[in-house]
Structures are given as structure tokens and as C-alpha cells.
Amino acid sequence: MHRNFGTVAAVLLVVMTVAAAGRQGFAQTATSSPKSTTIPKNIVADLDVVYAEVDGRKLHLDLFRPAADAPPPILVVVHGGGWLKGDKEKFRALSLRFAERGYATAAVEYRLGGEARFPAAIRDCNAAVAFLRHSAERYGLDATRLAAVGGSAGGHLVGLMAAGDDEPRLRHPGIMDDVSTHLDAAVIMAGPLQMLTGSVAQRSKSDPENSNAVNWIGGDVDQKRDLYQLADAHQKIDATMPPTLFICGSLDSPERNEATREKMRSLGRPVELIVHPDAKHGHWNRPEWILRVVDDIDGFLGRHGVAPR
């Protein structure tokens, strides 16, 4: 634990430097206020695009992209809400700020636990990635640069997308099976990656009535061990894990996922942690933080060849 806090303190110093030296001028070039969900005139919006149909249920995404000649990189945006709440509009402000920066952002609808339990949500997210890669030419997108960002439960889903892209049980059978869902980079904002062990598993047993995981998966870790293992992104990390950025507020357990970061480092995989001082859970959706979050993520994606050129 002492080592983790030392790491966090060091990262706090790095964050200031990275933020100051990031890709310049986002706050100056954005055409909207940080929290605005009004679609800017220079952004092309395709709302409620059907990316898959499962058992008669149409699944949708909102696609925002700059009106430019060069195909932009794709950034899949996965909302949070404890796997039980939220919708694709929850992170719309964040999606639009990235579109203003030059990304094609796809805010994804996925089925929540009250409609369909795990693994429905992760299968939906992977179907969205396959659809975007398959439809890149149609929408003028660069399918060779595709990343994802998610917050809280959405962060877990992004981590599982990144680590479990070769796990067939995390994809809908028969839906674009031949299209890769590999991510070129992943950004996890305060999302838990350990499910079979750690705080999520512990709470599933100690407080099952208030455990989102119990409601999402359908039982505690002892009752549904195979499903918790399938949902565990940490266990699936290997040498193919894409470059990954972890973002967290200093008031929101910065030590979260340190075991995952250590595992990635041991495998030689690129991994970064940015801790935002005095920020709480969900700060990426707050107007005073949105531009900073976008700037930091944009800088990371630029370092790994996924940012707009």
C-alpha cells in the first residue's frame, strides 16, 4: 500500500507536466462550452445508427465526426452507470468534445442488467466495434486507428474489450464473426478490472443486496464463479494487450487496478496512469474537468498513433 501511494504521488507530478505539454490548444479551439450537448455546426452527426440486432432488439450508437476530408480515427465511448443504469447520451458532451478535436466518436448503447444480464453488455460493445470497423468506408472513418474510452462500469467494459478480444464467449454468435474487435488503444476511467477477486467479488458476498455485480451477473462470486471469471479483464491480459491509459481522481481510489498495471508492465505492454488532483468519481463528466480529461486522453492517443493527424 505504501508503494501504491508513492506511485500516485509521483504520477501527480507527472500529470501536471503531461497536461501542460499535451497537444496544444483544445480549450482554445473547442467551439462549445465543455458540458454542452448541442451538436456543433462543424460536426456531422448520425444518431441512432443500428449497429446490430439481437433477438429482435435493435442496438444503436450515435456517431459524431468532423466535417473533414481525411478519415478520422475512431473512438468508441462507453458510458458508466454500474452496468444497471445510464444510456448512450450520458457521455455525449465528452463525445462531442472529442469530435471537435478531430475524432469520430461513437457513443454506444448496450443492454443494461435489468434487460439482459452479463455477458450481453460486453457482446453488444464488441458488436459495435465490429460494425464500425466493417462500416468505416461507408462513414469515411480510419479503421486502422480504433480506440475506446469508458468510465466506471464503462471502464470495466472497455478493459474487457481490450483484454478479451480473442474470447469468443464475449461476442454475439453469428454477428460479424470475421471482423476483428481488437482495440489499438484503451482508456479506462475509474473502472474495476478484477471481478473474480478484489472489491467487486468481496462485495458480491458481503452486501449482495447492494451489489451491482450480483444484479448484473445474477449471483455472487461463489454462485456464478464461471461468469465472474469470464467478466474478469485482469486475468485475460496478455502480450497482445493494447496501450492502456488509466485515469482516476485523487479522491477516487487511485490505487485501483495497480495489480493490472503491474501485470502490463511485466509483459512489456505500454500503460500509463494519470491522477487528477482533488477529483471525485465521475469527474470526467463535470464541466470543470471535461477539457482536461479530453486533453490528457488525446495526448495519450497521440503518443500511440491513434490521434487525428
Side-chain angles (χ1 to χ4, degrees):
M1 184 65 69
H2 176 76
R3 182 197 59 210
N4 286 340
F5 286 161
T7 299
V8 169
V11 168
L12 285 171
L13 295 176
V14 172
V15 167
M16 296 174 145
T17 304
V18 169
R23 298 179 70 224
Q24 295 181 355
F26 179 77
Q28 298 173 353
T29 60
T31 60
S32 306
S33 62
K35 191 64 176 176
S36 173
T37 57
T38 300
I39 299 170
K41 293 181 179 180
N42 62 336
I43 299 299
V44 178
D46 293 284
L47 304 181
D48 293 320
V49 175
V50 177
Y51 69 82
E53 185 170 343
V54 181
D55 298 328
R57 165 72 152 89
K58 293 181 178 179
L59 299 167
H60 306 84
L61 59 79
D62 293 335
L63 181 62
F64 306 100
R65 60 194 193 279
D69 294 333
I74 304 167
L75 184 61
V76 178
V77 179
V78 185
H79 72 80
W83 306 293
L84 305 176
K85 298 184 295 182
D87 56 43
K88 61 183 171 61
E89 296 183 17
K90 185 173 183 179
F91 286 11
R92 176 165 288 187
L94 196 66
S95 298
L96 289 173
R97 302 296 80 77
F98 276 110
E100 289 176 323
R101 181 60 76 92
Y103 295 86
T105 54
V108 175
E109 171 193 35
Y110 59 88
R111 287 170 295 164
L112 304 174
E115 179 181 359
R117 285 178 168 161
F118 175 83
I122 183 62
R123 288 179 171 180
D124 294 349
C125 291
N126 279 327
V129 172
F131 169 84
L132 289 163
R133 188 162 269 135
H134 177 75
S135 306
E137 185 175 352
R138 172 184 173 186
Y139 291 102
L141 314 177
D142 185 351
T144 67
R145 293 180 293 153
L146 194 157
V149 55
S152 195
H156 163 259
L157 290 170
V158 167
L160 193 55
M161 292 159 68
D165 63 313
D166 60 349
E167 170 54 76
R169 291 176 295 172
L170 300 180
R171 297 191 63 172
H172 288 299
I175 297 182
M176 288 182 280
D177 301 88
D178 58 336
V179 181
S180 171
T181 59
H182 179 75
L183 300 179
D184 297 300
V187 180
I188 298 164
M189 302 186 296
L193 296 194
Q194 290 174 282
M195 297 289 286
L196 190 62
T197 57
S199 60
V200 173
Q202 292 166 6
R203 189 174 187 187
S204 77
K205 294 194 295 182
S206 65
D207 191 12
E209 291 185 1
N210 295 307
S211 166
N212 285 0
V214 167
N215 288 313
W216 186 46
I217 294 177
D220 67 33
V221 67
D222 291 334
Q223 296 166 331
K224 301 288 184 178
R225 183 175 181 83
D226 288 348
L227 289 179
Y228 277 78
Q229 185 168 22
L230 183 60
D232 194 304
H234 172 80
Q235 287 199 341
K236 295 175 178 57
I237 290 172
D238 59 20
T240 68
M241 185 73 174
T244 302
L245 169 64
F246 291 86
I247 287 181
C248 192
S250 66
L251 304 180
D252 183 24
S253 303
E255 68 278 7
R256 183 193 289 112
N257 295 318
E258 179 55 28
T260 295
R261 292 188 288 273
E262 288 185 0
K263 184 175 182 180
M264 289 188 65
R265 286 191 288 267
S266 73
L267 292 168
R269 302 309 301 147
V271 60
E272 298 180 28
L273 168 65
I274 293 180
V275 179
H276 290 143
D278 301 319
K280 299 179 180 179
H281 193 75
H283 72 289
W284 52 83
N285 247 2
R286 296 187 61 83
E288 66 269 29
W289 278 107
I290 287 177
L291 298 184
R292 172 71 170 274
V293 169
V294 169
D295 201 39
D296 286 344
I297 294 173
D298 184 44
F300 166 78
L301 295 175
R303 290 190 289 278
H304 295 283
V306 190
R309 297 188 175 112

